[in-house]
Amino acid sequence: MPSAANRANPRGHMHAPGNSRTSTSQRVIARGAGSNALSFIIRFAARASFLYVGARLYGAVNYGVFTMASAMVELAVPVASLGLRRMIFPWLEEETQGDGLAAKARPATHVLLDALLLAMCAGLAVSLLLIAATRLLPTSVASDQLRLAFAILAPAVLGQITGDIALAATRWTHKMRYEVIARGLVEPYVLTGVALAAWYLGLEQTGMLIGYWAGSLALAGFSVWSARHCLGSLHLRRWRPDPSVLVRRARSLLPASGSDFLTSLAQRIDLYLVGFLLGDAAVGVYGVLRQLKTPIVQVRQAFDGILTPLTARTMKADGDVATGEATAAATRVILTLQLGVVLLMAAAGDALLDLFGQHYATGYPALIAMVLAETINGAFGVSELILYFRRPALALQVNLILILIAAGAIPLLAPTYGILGASLAMLLAAVVAALMRRYWLAGLGVRRDPLHALTPALAAAAAVLIGSYAGWVLRTTVFEHAPVALGKALAPTIALMLYIGFVMVWRRMRPGVLSLDRYRVS
């Protein structure tokens, strides 16, 4: 017999949340994503200036060495932080309400101090391990300059994990401006300023490494101050960490830490393989391409900071199926935005590469393959948060598949096709990983329409086809004698304008299709 809800709604559709919750969810997510987007715009401006300093002034070889060394630090950060960039949210929820391992409710600042203490212990061990490992790298895959860079940057892991965990605590309070300032202003501009000063002083081999150290220290200091400002007084005299509780907490964090490590490795394995297989100069060019795809990555990250705690809260309050509906909506929103950025990158990528020198322009096809792979990973990886919180072992397997495909395909393709081969291997890995996520989520009861995100993809494809034809017509008629760069940009620019029009029509035809109101804010 149909329920009262179904009698009121004969089609059996789930009622949308009430206006109050809808407006609150949309407002919190929009505010958080908007703050992060502002941060990423500011940070990208800083990265662009650093990219010019590194790639143009220091050269491809030195920039390649720095790229490899800093990527190694970023790979170590998830291990050293024990996954606390995400897992501190349920920890804070439990301990501040008295539901955690402790006997009674504790101040949020004491939970943060516990987390930092655990991360510092792990960070020291990881730093020492990295320094020892650099001595074991054979000369056939790592130059002397690269081994020195690894050893210099390894201890910077401590500054990075402090910043990550402290800023995560500020996001728990829904205050995003501190991360905007820390990641968008403090860290990147200190890095760029110190690196530029070091270049003027003639420190060509170590200047960027010194800049990275300066940026990490500035990040750590500002982040701790921000967390103190958001959470209140530290009450250091009353802080009594319980070693047995911390050990149990550390053990419970190991799966999440392993998942974060594999995620980080999956995101960077192409960089390591290009560096080890093709050398410092090739990885310098590849590193520039990876930086230029940053806007695609940042579309996802703009939502990540606020969606991560909201996903944990929605799962606790409404269950996995409702959370799956929320993440599906987030996938559509992120994919819609990312595809617009892909078209923009197609229009401007050639010109951007020319800024760093003529030899960088040969990487344009690899750049397009990169941004497509990142679009798939970014949009369809949102639902992985459910696996991350509910079944961390499955999240590990998704990333393990990514790593295995990349590790098998890049050594086959890169020697023949260079950096383009590496980018195509990562595109293949992204498609397979998206399919595996969907399969495992179905095992948790999260079954979504497989075509729920098809419309923006079709809109982008149609825009590309029409734009390519219109661009060819204009290039052979009206703009026949126009500069080459303008001729190349015509088709993707037209495609971008058409895509925006298609999306506007889609939203008008299906109101609420890009709504994020199913997330629970409180």
Side-chain angles (χ1 to χ4, degrees), residues 143-509:
S143 63
D144 291 339
Q145 185 180 352
L146 181 58
R147 283 199 295 271
L148 175 63
F150 282 166
I152 291 175
L153 281 197
V157 168
L158 299 175
Q160 291 293 322
I161 60 176
T162 301
D164 275 352
I165 296 171
L167 289 175
T170 66
R171 295 200 307 273
W172 182 68
T173 65
H174 297 165
K175 295 177 181 177
M176 308 300 295
R177 61 181 178 273
Y178 298 102
E179 184 154 16
V180 172
I181 297 171
R183 291 294 191 182
L185 290 173
V186 175
E187 182 190 18
Y189 281 104
V190 169
L191 165 61
T192 303
V194 172
L196 183 60
W199 181 80
Y200 275 109
L201 294 175
L203 302 175
E204 294 186 358
Q205 288 193 355
T206 57
M208 286 184 285
L209 306 178
I210 296 171
Y212 191 89
W213 257 108
S216 297
L217 292 174
L219 169 70
F222 180 82
S223 300
V224 171
W225 176 86
S226 300
R228 159 69 175 78
H229 195 263
C230 286
L231 301 178
S233 176
L234 296 178
H235 299 293
L236 287 174
R237 293 182 179 179
R238 296 206 302 254
W239 177 46
R240 298 291 185 271
D242 187 331
S244 62
V245 171
L246 291 182
V247 169
R248 279 183 287 165
R249 179 68 67 175
R251 288 174 180 169
S252 70
L253 291 170
L254 288 179
S257 177
S259 176
D260 276 357
F261 169 76
L262 286 181
T263 299
S264 183
L265 179 58
Q267 292 170 348
R268 296 172 177 84
I269 188 171
D270 56 329
L271 185 70
Y272 304 136
L273 290 174
V274 168
F276 292 141
L277 293 172
L278 303 180
D280 294 341
V283 79
V285 176
Y286 196 75
V288 169
L289 301 184
R290 285 175 59 90
Q291 290 299 317
L292 291 179
K293 74 169 186 177
T294 298
I296 297 289
V297 180
Q298 290 177 342
V299 170
R300 161 67 188 273
Q301 291 177 342
F303 289 88
D304 239 5
I306 192 65
L307 289 186
T308 299
L310 292 185
T311 298
R313 193 164 293 164
T314 304
M315 288 176 66
K316 183 176 181 180
D318 299 331
D320 295 347
V321 175
T323 307
E325 294 174 358
T327 59
T331 292
R332 292 191 293 272
V333 172
I334 293 171
L335 181 63
T336 300
L337 294 173
Q338 283 184 322
L339 287 173
V341 180
V342 169
L343 295 175
L344 183 61
M345 291 299 296
D350 238 352
L352 288 174
L353 290 171
D354 283 336
L355 293 175
F356 306 104
Q358 293 184 351
H359 57 290
Y360 286 98
T362 59
Y364 180 74
L367 175 64
I368 298 302
M370 272 189 193
V371 297
L372 289 175
E374 196 57 51
T375 297
I376 295 171
N377 273 330
F380 294 96
V382 176
S383 57
E384 191 173 333
L385 288 171
I386 299 175
L387 295 177
Y388 188 91
F389 288 125
R390 190 69 70 207
R391 301 280 296 277
L394 291 181
L396 287 174
Q397 293 179 44
V398 171
N399 290 304
L400 185 59
I401 290 171
L402 268 172
I403 292 166
L404 291 175
I405 294 175
I410 291 178
L412 291 176
L413 297 175
T416 303
Y417 301 102
I419 58 177
L420 175 59
S423 297
L424 291 174
M426 296 308 294
L427 179 57
L428 171 64
V431 172
V432 174
L435 294 175
M436 294 308 299
R437 288 188 196 100
R438 180 176 180 81
Y439 172 76
W440 277 315
L441 283 169
L444 296 177
V446 181
R447 295 180 177 87
R448 298 171 299 181
D449 180 358
L451 303 180
H452 75 95
L454 182 63
T455 301
L458 289 178
V464 168
L465 290 175
I466 299 172
S468 297
Y469 177 74
W472 174 77
V473 171
L474 291 174
R475 195 166 57 248
T476 55
T477 55
V478 179
F479 295 95
E480 184 176 3
H481 303 292
V484 176
L486 177 60
K488 289 182 178 179
L490 279 174
T493 301
I494 295 171
L496 176 60
M497 296 172 64
L498 288 171
Y499 175 72
I500 293 173
F502 289 153
V503 170
M504 293 175 66
V505 172
W506 179 42
R507 289 190 63 191
R508 184 177 294 274
M509 293 176 63

